[in-house]
Amino acid sequence: MTAVSSNGEYTFTKPNRDSITLLAGLGVEGDVHAGVTVKHRSRVAQDPTQPNLRQVHLIHEELFAEVRAAGFEVLPGDLGENITTSGIDLLGLPVGTLLRIGDDAVLEVTGLRNPCLQIDNFQDGLLKQVVGRDEAGNIVRKAGIMSIVKNGGVVRPGDTIKVELPGGPHRPLERV
């Protein structure tokens, strides 16, 4: 893991921290998106009683290099993620994958982040870099994955992440 970020206010980016505390069933302590029910504004408007499947947002650092090649400068926390990883194919993980972070924390992968137009407000044209289409015309979302906290703990940059795949058959990630 290369960075951890959180913000207690609704802003697009999240400042990097020395550590964040994950709270079981809630998310990142002090983060605006923590809670049992949805906190994302558009989802609250639809149905505020929905379970929060977006407690912790993870992005793979490799995405930053990919968008840099297209002329964009993105750093950890810039896209609102809580955890920036390196060397893990986050987008290829199936639903229900457990991510064991550091000594205690465990996240369960729930789905893909569905990037919104706020990304273009951050850097014009960036949305097209993180959402595209494959050869078959299917939408490809590259702006990270969402998870819920199964077991809490303090996590820091440099902590190891162990991937534990669920029993099969595996279900591919969909937007949550």
Side-chain angles (χ1 to χ4, degrees):
M1 171 171 29
T2 61
V4 294
S5 311
S6 67
N7 200 339
E9 300 176 17
Y10 278 107
T11 60
F12 184 70
T13 62
K14 293 187 179 189
N16 293 168
R17 308 286 183 192
D18 293 333
S19 67
I20 56 174
T21 301
L22 302 179
L23 303 173
L26 294 174
V28 178
E29 181 178 48
D31 192 82
V32 71
H33 291 106
V36 174
T37 57
V38 292
K39 300 301 175 198
H40 195 273
R41 289 177 174 169
S42 67
R43 293 172 189 271
V44 169
Q46 291 173 354
D47 177 3
T49 66
Q50 294 176 71
N52 188 3
L53 301 179
R54 301 164 52 103
Q55 294 174 357
V56 181
H57 175 201
L58 299 92
I59 283 186
H60 50 295
E61 185 177 53
E62 293 81 1
L63 177 65
F64 304 155
E66 183 180 324
V67 299
R68 189 173 301 114
F72 296 90
E73 186 62 30
V74 179
L75 301 171
D78 281 353
L79 298 182
E81 76 275 10
N82 300 110
I83 296 175
T84 308
T85 67
S86 179
I88 299 172
D89 179 13
L90 295 178
L91 304 178
L93 298 174
V95 172
T97 298
L98 297 180
L99 302 174
R100 297 185 182 280
I101 306 174
D103 294 333
D104 301 311
V106 180
L107 300 177
E108 181 180 332
V109 176
T110 56
L112 294 168
R113 175 187 184 188
N114 189 33
C116 64
L117 285 174
Q118 287 186 42
I119 291 179
D120 274 348
N121 293 336
F122 174 67
Q123 287 185 40
D124 191 39
L126 185 57
L127 181 60
K128 193 162 59 171
Q129 299 299 314
V130 298
V131 178
R133 295 198 178 265
D134 64 14
E135 301 78 32
N138 300 309
I139 294 176
V140 177
R141 294 172 178 88
K142 299 187 269 185
I145 64 171
M146 307 308 285
S147 64
I148 57 173
V149 182
K150 299 300 280 183
N151 196 62
V154 175
V155 297
R156 296 173 179 82
D159 281 353
T160 59
I161 300 177
K162 295 178 184 144
V163 175
E164 187 177 305
L165 298 174
H170 292 165
R171 288 186 341 197
L173 297 178
E174 296 178 3
R175 70 181 181 99
V176 293

